[in-house]
Amino acid sequence: MNSRVLRTELRRSVALWAGAAVLVSALAFLYLIPGPWSRGTVRWTDQWTSTAMWTRSLLVYLWPLAMGAGALQGLRDHRSKVSELLSSTPRPAWHRAAALAAPTALTLVAAFALLVGAGGVRVLAGTAYPHLGWLPVSLVGALALAAGAVLGMGVGRALPSPLTPPALTVGAFVCVNLLRAFDDEAVPTPSVPNRLSLLSPAVSQMRQALLTLSGPVHLGQTLWLLGLAATGFALLAAATLRGRLLALAPVLTGAVLALLVLPSDPRHTYVVDEAAAAMVCEGPVCVTKAHRARLDDIAGPGRKALALMKEALGDRAPDRIRESTEPRALGDTPQRSRTTVFVEFDDGLLAGARGQELTRALLAEGMAPSCFPRSENESGTLADIATQSIAAGWVLGELEPFDGTAHKPGDQREIARPVWDKLEAQPRAEQRSRIAAMHEAALTCKGDTLAVLSGGTSR
């Protein structure tokens, strides 16, 4: 196809409108609607992998949109009543099919590339971990839009009815949503067999910055999408019933090959990016390579917090701080250790803390690790936060509530102040004993830590 034909087809087809709809709707969703894609360590412009995964997740509606636009394009000859005229020309049918399919497919690929590029510009301007592991995620997404459009054209040519585009769009949208995985598990887990769910080009919403897709997923989905595209193109070029039946062979072959390659276990689908999760350390304080830019901020306060915990807990104090890389479900107990303070940068206590506030937050995490997950929207129980404020306050000499949690400072004071007064009224040796008992109760997630600080038992 030469440039003149391409320009003509772009003017005559829905290609430019389809590309604009994909790009504008996706950018409007990501920039105008608040959600997890706009905050925290999984913000869509924070890391390359985040950009690739969030834009792929939008295929839950962009892919049906591409199929519907393709089906509308496939009806063009039927609406113009020139199908018989074109079939009588000596030009090969696949030439006409290519001239019809290429502009829309290329425009959708370009629109998706611009979408990823819009996030990539922001990533480049930040302190993201540079790598190319995100590229297969985005390439498969672009292929999905092109394949969906070509398949829609083929179906529109084979079933030339005004109802075909809306029916195909709705059908694709329903199928993609039925195959979606649940995001609240340690790794996204579908309600249907995992291999079957991966036939959907849309990926799960990103909840942990270190998760990415495995190599077999990229390969299997590529085989499946190439089969879809080949079937769509064959349907677009077929003029007989026999040709249309034979056109189903590529999609069936692609499905079989994909199901042989795709992993059956969700844990082999969404995997931790080992390169991004590699530790970068400054003394006893370590963060992942993906968040290396945060090491300078946390190293000094981290060393100070460890020294203070050593004075407070003696030999039972943790001796290092490490960013957690363990996937966990929303309701799972955070990772914990007697020797290590595990931190997450989405933790509300740590997210905006700097200097002395960060030291205090790290003290709270190490002295009284919470048994409940904590993030911007999940701050554990009020009792946990109160316990942490008392523990950090005992070490630093002043009781203060924490910001960045779901619990108001006044509520924290109301719970913590009576316990703090009882603790402060005791001899120093008894205070130290209660602090040690509280630390043990928090580590094991057994008992009422506030009761321990008040002079009760941990059970």
Side-chain angles (χ1 to χ4, degrees):
M1 176 183 294
N2 58 44
S3 59
R4 182 181 59 81
V5 174
L6 180 60
R7 289 195 301 270
T8 301
E9 286 293 334
L10 285 174
R11 290 196 301 269
R12 297 175 58 203
S13 69
V14 300
L16 293 178
W17 291 105
V22 165
L23 181 60
V24 172
S25 64
L27 290 176
F29 183 93
L30 291 169
Y31 278 113
L32 301 181
I33 300 178
W37 50 86
S38 59
R39 59 178 180 259
T41 60
V42 296
R43 188 173 65 250
W44 82 286
T45 55
D46 192 66
Q47 297 285 342
W48 285 109
T49 300
S50 300
T51 298
M53 294 290 281
W54 278 116
T55 50
R56 271 288 297 275
S57 73
L58 296 183
L59 292 185
V60 71
Y61 77 89
L62 294 180
W63 196 59
L65 180 63
M67 292 187 70
L72 186 63
Q73 180 70 4
L75 293 178
R76 187 181 69 180
D77 293 347
H78 177 76
R79 293 197 310 269
S80 302
K81 299 180 180 180
V82 295
S83 299
E84 292 185 6
L85 175 63
L86 292 176
S87 63
S88 65
T89 63
R91 187 182 183 189
W94 70 268
H95 280 193
R96 297 194 302 273
L100 186 64
T104 302
L106 291 174
T107 302
L108 289 173
V109 168
F112 191 75
L114 288 173
L115 174 63
V116 175
V121 169
R122 298 277 301 276
V123 173
L124 285 173
T127 55
Y129 162 59
H131 66 107
L132 294 178
W134 61 274
L135 196 55
V137 180
S138 294
L139 290 177
V140 174
L143 175 61
L145 287 177
V150 175
L151 179 64
M153 291 179 203
V155 174
R157 174 66 64 85
L159 302 173
S161 167
L163 297 178
T164 298
L168 190 60
T169 302
V170 172
F173 182 77
V174 170
C175 287
V176 169
N177 278 275
L178 288 176
L179 298 177
R180 290 183 70 182
F182 296 105
D183 301 320
D184 56 350
E185 303 293 333
V187 294
T189 304
S191 57
V192 298
N194 192 66
R195 287 192 178 101
L196 186 61
S197 75
L198 291 175
L199 296 182
S200 165
V203 302
S204 178
Q205 290 192 354
M206 200 170 186
R207 193 168 50 79
Q208 298 184 36
L210 297 176
L211 285 185
T212 188
L213 295 173
S214 64
V217 175
H218 300 317
L219 178 58
Q221 290 185 333
T222 298
L223 292 172
W224 162 242
L225 293 170
L226 288 175
L228 284 179
T231 287
F233 189 80
L235 286 173
L236 196 58
T240 64
L241 178 60
R242 180 173 178 271
R244 288 168 183 161
L245 292 176
L246 290 175
L248 299 177
V251 70
L252 296 177
T253 302
V256 170
L257 293 176
L259 292 174
L260 291 174
V261 172
L262 292 170
S264 60
D265 190 339
R267 290 172 297 181
H268 297 152
T269 300
Y270 293 89
V271 297
V272 173
D273 186 336
E274 297 297 339
M279 288 294 153
V280 180
C281 300
E282 186 173 317
V285 182
C286 299
V287 300
T288 61
K289 188 177 290 186
H291 296 139
R292 184 172 189 169
R294 305 199 179 197
L295 182 58
D296 291 340
D297 291 333
I298 197 174
R303 286 193 295 268
K304 183 177 179 180
L306 289 173
L308 291 170
M309 282 187 277
K310 181 68 174 177
E311 294 178 8
L313 298 173
D315 293 339
R316 287 174 290 188
D319 57 10
R320 56 188 173 182
I321 295 173
R322 181 185 178 99
E323 183 181 354
S324 177
T325 60
E326 182 182 87
R328 60 177 177 83
L330 288 176
D332 285 351
T333 300
Q335 190 176 3
R336 59 192 54 242
S337 168
R338 293 185 181 275
T339 60
T340 304
V341 180
F342 286 103
V343 299
E344 299 179 16
F345 289 114
D346 276 332
D347 187 326
L349 290 184
L350 302 175
R354 296 291 184 273
Q356 182 65 15
E357 281 301 308
L358 183 53
T359 299
R360 186 165 165 268
L362 292 170
L363 269 174
E365 297 282 4
M367 296 287 291
S370 175
C371 292
F372 294 88
R374 181 166 52 214
S375 65
E376 184 177 2
N377 297 318
E378 298 177 38
S379 301
T381 66
L382 179 57
D384 278 340
I385 301 300
T387 298
Q388 291 184 324
S389 66
I390 294 171
W394 184 82
V395 174
L396 296 174
E398 184 179 1
L399 177 66
E400 292 183 11
F402 281 108
D403 295 323
T405 77
H407 306 290
K408 296 178 180 179
D411 294 337
Q412 295 180 47
R413 289 192 186 94
E414 183 178 352
I415 298 294
R417 176 57 66 178
V419 179
W420 171 265
D421 291 340
K422 288 182 181 180
L423 181 65
E424 286 289 289
Q426 303 302 314
R428 191 64 179 178
E430 175 63 17
Q431 293 179 30
R432 188 176 295 275
S433 175
R434 291 186 184 185
I435 288 292
M438 176 276 301
H439 176 68
E440 181 66 24
L443 275 176
T444 58
C445 290
K446 294 179 180 179
D448 185 342
T449 52
L450 284 177
V452 172
L453 291 172
S454 296
T457 62
S458 62
R459 295 183 182 273

